[in-house]
Amino acid sequence: MEHIEKLLLQNKAWVEQKNQEDEQFFTRSAKSQKPRFLWIGCSDSRVPANEITATDPGEIFVHRNIANMVVHTDMSMLSVLDYAVNVLQVPHVILCGHYGCGGVRAAMGQKQFGLIDNWIRHIKDVYRMHQDELEGIQDIKARQDRFIELNVIEQVYASSKVLAARSSKT
């Protein structure tokens, strides 16, 4: 319980700080949001979009999942992408991966994790698509890094296909 209480106290302190810096912050934020970016990133707690871009709340519309995947059957991600582009009219989509991604590392192995294996299957598909290149890399760290890079490339491609399909229907 003390961890929850700490979070609540930190939230209270953050609200007080924001009000001291700009007493209209919450009033202005409640009116509307006009983000210029949609950030599709990893759920990894070490890579929060607003923190690593030094942006304020409302500047980036964010969707996060394990290994920053754009899966054509993920209604949550597809809804966020559609809402951002077609309702909020966000002009830029950022797909951000990161080195050391646990989801990508898990997809490289054969260990089973349970329910998460269904998600990791999509990441394994990316590995399979680039298997020759990846297995030609002997250093495991270099192979992981390249797999992470290829995963981002494939997710950019997947998101552009979703957007292209959406725009051809309108």
Side-chain angles (χ1 to χ4, degrees), residues 9-82:
L9 287 172
Q10 287 173 298
N11 176 253
K12 219 175 215 182
W14 177 79
V15 169
E16 287 176 23
Q17 179 186 346
K18 282 293 182 188
N19 281 328
Q20 286 176 1
E21 292 172 1
D22 177 2
E23 58 190 45
Q24 295 301 310
F25 176 80
F26 292 104
T27 304
R28 196 172 48 255
S29 293
K31 288 181 182 173
S32 70
Q33 60 175 327
K34 295 283 186 210
R36 303 221 10 101
F37 302 95
L38 165 60
W39 176 283
I40 301 171
C42 186
S43 294
D44 190 308
S45 61
R46 300 168 295 178
V47 246
N50 288 90
E51 184 125 346
I52 67 174
T53 59
T55 53
D56 286 328
E59 290 187 60
I60 299 179
F61 197 63
V62 177
H63 179 79
R64 295 170 68 174
N65 63 47
I66 295 170
N68 44 271
M69 300 296 292
V70 177
V71 178
H72 72 282
T73 56
D74 179 359
M75 292 307 293
S76 176
M77 193 287 310
L78 295 174
S79 297
V80 168
L81 183 60
D82 187 59

Side-chain angles (χ1 to χ4, degrees), residues 2 10 28 32 56 62 64 75 77 87-88 91 111 135 150 153 156 159 168-169:
E2 73 183 55
Q10 287 173 298
R28 196 172 48 255
S32 70
D56 286 328
V62 177
R64 295 170 68 174
M75 292 307 293
M77 193 287 310
V87 176
L88 297 176
K111 183 177 177 184
E135 291 185 359
L150 290 168
I153 291 166
V156 168
S159 63
S168 71
K169 292 179 182 176

Side-chain angles (χ1 to χ4, degrees), residues 84-132:
V85 172
N86 295 306
V87 176
L88 297 176
Q89 299 182 329
V90 172
H92 307 285
V93 177
I94 298 170
L95 204 131
C96 184
H98 67 97
Y99 294 114
C101 181
V104 170
R105 278 198 319 268
M108 289 180 75
Q110 298 304 315
K111 183 177 177 184
Q112 294 196 333
F113 298 94
L115 184 61
I116 190 67
D117 293 334
N118 295 296
W119 190 257
I120 290 173
R121 174 78 258 149
H122 298 289
I123 309 167
K124 286 181 179 278
D125 289 344
V126 173
Y127 190 95
R128 191 181 70 252
M129 290 168 58
H130 299 278
Q131 188 169 356
D132 291 343

